Amino acid sequence: MFRDRFFVCLVLTVPVLFVSEDVRGWFGFGPADFPGSDWVEPVLGSIIYFYGAGLFLVGALRELRARTPGMMILVAMATTAAYAYSLATSFGVAQRGFYWELATLIVVMLLGHWLEMLSVQGAGRALEHLASLMPPLAHRLRDGRMEDVAISELQPGDIVLVRPGEQVPADGTVVDGSSSMNEAFLTGESRPVPKGPGSAVAAGAVNNEGALRVRVEKTGEETALGQMIRLVREAQASPSRYQTLADRAASLLTLVAVMVGAVSLTAWLFLSDATEAVERAVTVLVIACPHALGLAVPLVVVNASALAARNGILIRTREAFERARDVRTVAFDKTGTLTEGRFVLRAVQAAGLDEGEALAIAAALEGLSEHPLGEAVVDAARERGLPLRQVADFRAVPGRGVEGKVDGRLYRVGRPEWAAELGIALDGVQTALSDADETGASAVLLMDEERALAVFALADRVRESARRAVEQLMAMGVEVVMLTGDAEAVAREVAREVGIGSFYARVLPGDKAQVVRHLKERGLVAFVGDGINDAPALLEADLGVAIGAGTNVAIESADVVLVESDPLDVVRVLRLSRATYGKMFQNLLWASGYNVVAVPLAAGVAAPLGVVLSPAVGALLMSLSTVIVALNAPLIRRARLVG
């Protein structure tokens, strides 16, 4: 609405400026003289007033009904006073009108509100993305038959079938079958989680390779995913203290302007005639109208957003700037944020054969598998230039690993627990398994029919810029912590590698939000994450920062999105927020300082000294303050965002 009205009013303002005696006088032209020239201003001015200022009038009525006087009331009063006074001049009641001031006033205010609304976006679609994780149907087993039913019909005690590639419809326990599941949406664990009889499963988790029969225990809002949705809803509903402060400031400004205008009108009725009194009051309202004040923040935000976008940072909410400048703690999620969420081979330790030979055999088998850990082994073999060998009699064993014949000999690659089930000794690789466990790496075992041959230690790859980001944040006086659903050994290793001294391991989604809430006791907190499980924490934090390669839920729940998935962009966000605040403060100081001087002059306090501002001069000063604010805002683009 603001955009369309802005452009229409802008076009209509051009002829108003063209026929205005004041504007033409500035450029040395005489009065406009053509048929109908006297009606250009009142006709177009009326259209601009009713069409352009109509939104402010409606907003003012809404504020009056709610008894919360704010910016809309002041704008509505100023535009109405300007229009009524100008219209009176067209019918010879008043001495002089200022239609061009009315037109520019409305155009500038429409522009300011449009820019402001562009800079403010909510996270209303986060719940929709969360809800989409639930499958619409479930395969319920009853009396030896399978029936597809809506998940809303499931009851505790029902048995459901979860096929490979499908999502679990409800929280429950596996009663039959073996597989692995992707539970990253809930725990942040990047590795598949083995599942077998007795294992707990969560609604929304994705089943990987084997079919499972699950006994339903919790449904609907009682599931872990349902609780997560509740957390997101509660965080979204929490009020913004910054908006409350802004509303109070707007109310105060409105009351001051109205009081000064009323006092000016009353005083000049006694000191002079009605025309002079109305002119003084109108001048006060026009000059007090928050052109510069209304644009001081949005123009800075728009310029800062443009600078951020060029650096791969998308600012979704204006409040993000206000919060980020005072951030004292940055909490990073690990998987997909400090790390890439992709496994790489960290070490190979072989017993009884060459490491390259062991890697080639394992890669040959894993090349026929789609397991994420297997892909890391294959990638490592390709990086070393090892050719993939032919495999015969390949077979995937759900929840265990893969097996097949290479050069006529049977090999197996999979979990170390598989070796124990097969009665294969781990004597030659026990040290390698212990080393992997201490560093939090995932161990993959290569074995033949008699013994264990090699251990492949796999770990999530740390992003190259993570350490540099942590160093610069600490140099800025910001505390850095890490939150993860991974085991403590994994968390400790990643924290050591990137230089973080404080971390929280095995943190569930609800706990992440609780940890953020605890950290907020020491000051403002920024949370950086990428997963669905991060949504509650992103909304709980004073500043939510989502890695752009992450899920839609994380992005929709965040204040800032890092398109390039670069942790170093967190540094850029904080530095940009501080630079933005500086520009906002400068603009607000000028706009407020201008009103402190100009409003009393408009009221006529300096009349005894011969200084009286006409409505035209008042509008000119108001426009000048707007120009200064508009010229100062783009200077933020010179800010240095990274060291």
Side-chain angles (χ1 to χ4, degrees):
M1 292 186 296
F2 285 106
R3 180 198 62 192
D4 294 344
R5 282 166 171 75
F6 163 71
F7 283 113
V8 171
C9 292
L10 180 63
V11 171
L12 296 178
T13 298
V14 174
V16 173
L17 294 175
F18 177 76
V19 300
S20 170
E21 292 186 13
D22 291 331
V23 176
R24 294 178 67 88
W26 296 340
F27 293 96
F29 297 110
D33 185 17
F34 57 85
S37 60
D38 293 340
W39 291 100
V40 171
E41 289 182 303
V43 172
L44 296 184
S46 297
I47 297 175
I48 293 172
Y49 171 72
F50 287 106
Y51 180 70
L55 293 176
F56 303 118
L57 299 176
V58 173
L61 289 175
R62 190 179 298 114
E63 290 178 352
L64 286 172
R65 288 170 183 167
R67 297 181 180 179
T68 56
M71 198 71 72
M72 288 295 185
I73 290 179
L74 189 55
V75 174
M77 290 183 64
T79 54
T80 300
Y83 174 68
Y85 184 82
S86 298
L87 195 62
T89 64
S90 298
F91 292 95
V93 177
Q95 294 181 351
R96 187 178 184 183
F98 42 100
Y99 282 107
W100 74 268
E101 295 95 328
L102 170 67
T104 56
L105 173 68
I106 294 173
V107 167
V108 173
M109 292 310 302
L110 287 172
L111 174 62
H113 280 73
W114 175 34
L115 295 177
E116 182 177 3
M117 295 182 76
L118 281 177
S119 68
V120 179
Q121 296 183 22
R125 294 191 297 272
L127 290 176
E128 296 177 11
H129 290 298
L130 280 175
S132 68
L133 291 175
M134 296 295 291
L137 299 175
H139 310 306
R140 184 169 61 186
L141 302 176
R142 180 173 290 181
D143 300 328
R145 299 174 56 187
M146 184 182 73
E147 56 182 356
D148 290 343
V149 299
I151 60 172
S152 59
E153 298 181 22
L154 293 178
Q155 299 292 329
D158 286 344
I159 303 297
V160 295
L161 174 66
V162 184
R163 296 167 175 165
E166 293 183 339
Q167 292 172 299
V168 179
D171 288 4
T173 303
V174 177
V175 296
D176 183 50
S178 297
S179 183
S180 65
M181 286 192 176
N182 180 354
E183 295 182 344
F185 84 97
L186 180 64
T187 64
E189 289 272 7
S190 54
R191 71 186 74 181
V193 181
K195 298 294 180 181
S199 299
V201 295
V206 179
N207 185 24
N208 287 332
E209 61 272 356
L212 298 174
R213 286 178 170 82
V214 176
R215 178 184 294 109
V216 175
E217 295 179 354
K218 294 181 180 180
T219 61
E221 294 186 358
E222 296 181 355
T223 64
L225 181 59
Q227 293 297 311
M228 191 185 305
I229 293 176
R230 179 183 59 80
L231 288 171
V232 173
R233 184 181 294 113
E234 291 177 355
Q236 285 182 332
S238 59
S240 168
R241 63 187 181 94
Y242 300 96
Q243 187 60 52
T244 301
L245 292 174
D247 291 342
R248 291 177 180 175
S251 298
L252 180 60
L253 177 61
T254 301
L255 293 175
V256 169
V258 171
M259 290 174 60
V260 173
V263 170
S264 177
L265 176 64
T266 304
W268 282 98
L269 282 174
F270 286 101
L271 297 174
S272 184
D273 56 21
T275 301
E276 180 68 22
V278 172
E279 187 170 321
R280 290 298 97 229
V282 169
T283 305
V284 168
L285 290 174
V286 171
I287 209 167
C289 192
H291 267 198
L293 198 59
L295 291 176
V297 172
L299 283 180
V300 174
V301 171
V302 170
N303 282 279
S305 299
L307 175 61
R310 289 200 299 271
N311 286 274
I313 302 168
L314 300 181
I315 305 296
R316 301 190 67 249
T317 63
R318 187 181 74 184
E319 289 80 6
F321 290 107
E322 300 171 354
R323 291 191 290 263
R325 68 181 180 86
D326 289 327
V327 163
R328 293 294 174 263
T329 304
V330 173
F332 282 97
D333 172 58
K334 179 188 75 68
T335 306
T337 304
L338 290 173
T339 66
E340 297 180 358
R342 184 170 63 90
F343 284 96
V344 294
L345 182 65
R346 286 289 181 85
V348 180
Q349 295 190 37
L353 76 166
D354 181 72
E355 290 184 0
E357 177 73 8
L359 182 58
I361 294 172
L365 291 169
E366 293 289 11
L368 302 177
S369 170
E370 295 182 354
H371 198 284
L373 297 180
E375 292 178 3
V377 173
V378 174
D379 290 342
R382 287 173 178 167
E383 290 176 1
R384 300 188 185 189
L386 300 176
L388 296 183
R389 303 183 184 182
Q390 294 295 320
V391 178
D393 300 331
F394 174 83
R395 186 170 73 96
V397 183
R400 306 295 190 281
V402 295
E403 64 180 19
K405 292 183 178 180
V406 179
D407 296 334
R409 186 176 178 182
L410 180 65
Y411 293 95
R412 295 185 176 93
V413 180
R415 302 173 59 213
E417 292 81 1
W418 194 13
E421 294 175 4
L422 297 172
I424 296 176
L426 302 175
D427 297 338
V429 296
Q430 193 63 56
T431 301
L433 290 174
S434 298
D435 292 343
D437 186 63
E438 289 179 3
T439 60
S442 297
V444 174
L445 190 66
L446 171 66
M447 49 193 164
D448 57 17
E449 295 182 272
E450 300 176 355
R451 62 195 178 102
L453 302 175
V455 173
F456 305 95
L458 304 168
D460 199 356
R461 184 196 297 269
V462 173
R463 295 188 187 274
E464 294 182 2
S465 61
R467 172 173 284 276
R468 187 180 170 197
V470 172
E471 290 176 350
Q472 293 199 23
L473 286 171
M474 291 182 174
M476 294 168 62
V478 177
E479 179 185 5
V480 182
V481 300
M482 183 178 72
L483 280 65
T484 178
D486 280 340
E488 185 171 349
V490 178
R492 183 183 299 108
E493 180 64 19
V494 173
R496 182 196 63 79
E497 190 169 345
V498 300
I500 294 178
S502 177
F503 64 86
Y504 297 81
R506 294 199 179 279
V507 182
L508 295 177
D511 296 329
K512 281 188 178 181
Q514 186 175 357
V515 170
V516 170
R517 197 175 299 117
H518 171 70
L519 292 173
K520 288 168 68 174
E521 296 176 0
R522 291 179 270 174
L524 298 189
V525 176
F527 180 81
V528 188
D530 76 314
I532 294 168
N533 60 299
D534 298 326
L538 285 167
L539 287 164
E540 176 64 36
D542 298 290
L543 176 70
V545 182
I547 294 292
T551 64
N552 285 334
V553 175
I555 293 173
E556 292 296 334
S557 302
D559 301 303
V560 178
V561 179
L562 307 183
V563 177
E564 302 297 331
S565 302
D566 185 357
L568 197 59
D569 284 340
V570 178
V571 178
R572 295 185 174 94
V573 169
L574 297 190
R575 288 185 173 171
L576 176 61
S577 70
R578 296 179 181 184
T580 300
Y581 173 75
K583 283 299 173 188
M584 285 181 183
F585 180 79
Q586 293 170 11
N587 281 354
L588 291 173
L589 182 63
W590 165 255
S592 301
Y594 146 79
N595 280 320
V596 168
V597 175
V599 170
L601 290 178
V605 296
L609 301 177
V611 179
V612 178
L613 299 183
S614 67
V617 174
L620 181 61
L621 291 177
M622 179 183 59
S623 300
L624 180 61
S625 68
T626 303
V627 170
I628 293 175
V629 166
L631 291 177
N632 185 47
L635 296 180
I636 192 176
R637 300 187 183 187
R638 300 180 180 179
R640 184 180 181 187
L641 301 184
V642 67

